[in-house]
Amino acid sequence: MKKGLFITFEGGDGSGKSTQISILRDRLSEAGCDVLLTREPGGTKISEKIRSVILDKENSEMEAVTEALLYAAARAQLVAEVIEPAIRKGRVVICDRFVDSSIAYQAYGRDLGEAVEVINSYAIGECMPDITILLKLDPHVGRRRINARDGDRDRIELASEHFHDKVYEGYLELEKKHSQRIIGIEADRTIEETAELIWEKISPMLGE
């Protein structure tokens, strides 16, 4: 590859992002790519501290605008400190969530509208993904998966079903709006089938 590649994964809670990201990372590494895996919110010392504040279920009184600003702040640090330097070095960056999450969760889910895009225009500058894999799964199925897991659920996972329905609707709107970048894949297939569909979309972008 002559330049870096920026891949992001999106989807509601329980859609299987972590599993598919791990599979793709391994396949890219086997193909000879220098892969960097990161996540949002998080990925840097500062961003991980912000993550702990955002997801802490004890912070139930957090205002929607506060939440959106915190996500943008964590993202700004991640872009400047990790993502942009890696892309300049020709690495393949895979990020578990990025700006589309803020639009889905805060613009649609929290009803903040266009303000979220304005906030994040400062956070990311010109740094946009080359391709975004959107794993589409009925939010009610995703919530059942989350509820079946061991361990506590975070503040976002504990939000109402109505909230998660609106988030999913937001993702579907983003898929339509940015159809050249966002590739929607139904996530109710087997892990292997989903992974193959993802690879079919990513592999042509790798060059020689």
Side-chain angles (χ1 to χ4, degrees), residues 20-208:
Q20 293 302 328
I21 287 170
S22 179
I23 293 171
L24 179 61
R25 176 195 58 197
D26 292 344
R27 292 191 77 164
L28 287 169
S29 296
E30 290 169 3
C33 299
D34 183 5
V35 183
L36 171 67
L37 180 60
T38 189
R39 69 173 183 176
E40 282 212 333
T44 74
K45 181 176 68 174
I46 292 171
S47 302
E48 289 291 337
K49 289 181 178 180
I50 297 172
R51 177 189 179 91
S52 67
V53 174
I54 294 173
L55 299 183
D56 188 343
K57 62 184 179 182
E58 293 186 3
N59 293 334
S60 59
E61 72 277 16
M62 186 181 295
E63 289 289 328
V65 172
T66 303
E67 181 181 278
L69 290 167
L70 286 171
Y71 272 113
R75 182 168 296 123
Q77 191 66 30
L78 180 65
V79 166
E81 188 175 335
V82 175
I83 295 175
E84 286 187 332
I87 292 171
R88 285 197 297 269
K89 293 178 181 177
R91 304 184 72 181
V92 177
V93 178
I94 304 175
C95 192
D96 184 348
R97 300 196 181 282
F98 196 59
V99 68
D100 296 301
S101 276
S102 277
I103 297 171
Y105 279 80
Q106 279 79 54
Y108 286 88
R110 304 294 192 200
D111 297 316
L112 292 179
E114 295 180 358
V116 178
E117 291 194 46
V118 174
I119 292 167
N120 280 279
S121 67
Y122 293 97
I124 66 174
E126 300 297 319
C127 184
M128 281 296 289
D130 295 295
I131 184 170
T132 297
I133 301 297
L134 171 61
L135 295 177
K136 300 193 293 185
L137 183 70
D138 184 307
H140 300 280
V141 176
R143 285 177 70 82
R144 285 200 296 271
R145 291 181 178 180
I146 292 293
N147 292 340
R149 294 176 183 172
D150 293 330
D152 293 335
R153 290 180 291 164
D154 63 42
R155 192 177 63 85
I156 303 299
E157 292 170 343
L158 288 169
S160 69
E161 288 192 8
H162 179 60
F163 169 76
H164 287 282
D165 287 343
K166 290 197 295 182
V167 169
Y168 186 63
E169 292 169 7
Y171 273 130
L172 296 182
E173 288 298 318
L174 286 170
E175 180 188 11
K176 293 176 185 177
K177 185 177 180 180
H178 304 290
S179 59
Q180 295 300 309
R181 172 176 63 85
I182 300 178
I183 307 298
I185 294 177
E186 300 292 342
D188 55 356
R189 298 178 173 87
T190 67
I191 292 173
E192 293 76 18
E193 289 171 338
T194 303
E196 283 304 315
L197 289 171
I198 293 171
W199 186 245
E200 287 175 8
K201 300 298 181 181
I202 298 296
S203 57
M205 304 181 72
L206 301 181
E208 298 179 1

